[in-house]
Amino acid sequence: MYLPPGANPQLPFQFPAPSYPHLEAQLQEAIAYLEPQERQFLLERVYPYANFWHQRQSPRANGQPYISHPVAVAAILSPYHLDLGSMAAAILHDVHEDNEEA
């Protein structure tokens, strides 16, 4: 698995990026229907990875950090109770497209 610069190769991976408690709370609410280990995976692995790769992007037009968009997508999909892979895809959907290194 490729690790970005600054990531800790020890488990759990550490991706240094700014913290956005309001977005993390929104994501927790959106994935509340998932099993605890699935929520943990999204909150400790998937979200930090996406947040790390989006930290260099310009803020959105509303001033929010770019990671707010993938979190909003997850929130929009939440009522459909999609599986873990689908919710991970919602959070990660712009990482590769918006970052040449990812």
Side-chain angles (χ1 to χ4, degrees):
M1 167 184 254
Y2 172 76
L3 294 176
N8 183 346
Q10 302 301 314
L11 297 178
F13 296 124
Q14 304 263 327
F15 296 102
S19 177
Y20 303 107
H22 66 289
L23 294 176
E24 293 163 19
Q26 182 182 0
L27 181 58
Q28 285 180 352
E29 184 178 323
I31 62 172
Y33 68 90
L34 291 171
E35 296 293 323
Q37 66 273 19
E38 294 175 328
R39 290 193 307 265
Q40 181 179 3
F41 178 77
L42 288 174
L43 292 169
E44 293 180 5
R45 298 288 184 98
V46 176
Y47 171 80
Y49 183 83
N51 189 22
F52 175 85
W53 285 108
H54 287 305
Q55 69 183 332
R56 292 179 287 172
Q57 284 185 267
S58 299
R60 303 202 34 94
N62 64 5
Q64 289 286 318
Y66 192 84
I67 190 66
S68 66
H69 168 67
V71 170
V73 171
I76 289 167
L77 296 175
S78 177
Y80 299 104
H81 288 206
L82 300 177
D83 65 358
L84 172 65
S86 299
M87 294 306 280
I91 297 166
L92 294 170
H93 78 272
D94 273 341
V95 169
H96 182 68
E97 174 185 337
D98 295 338
N99 297 280
E100 293 179 14
E101 297 94 2

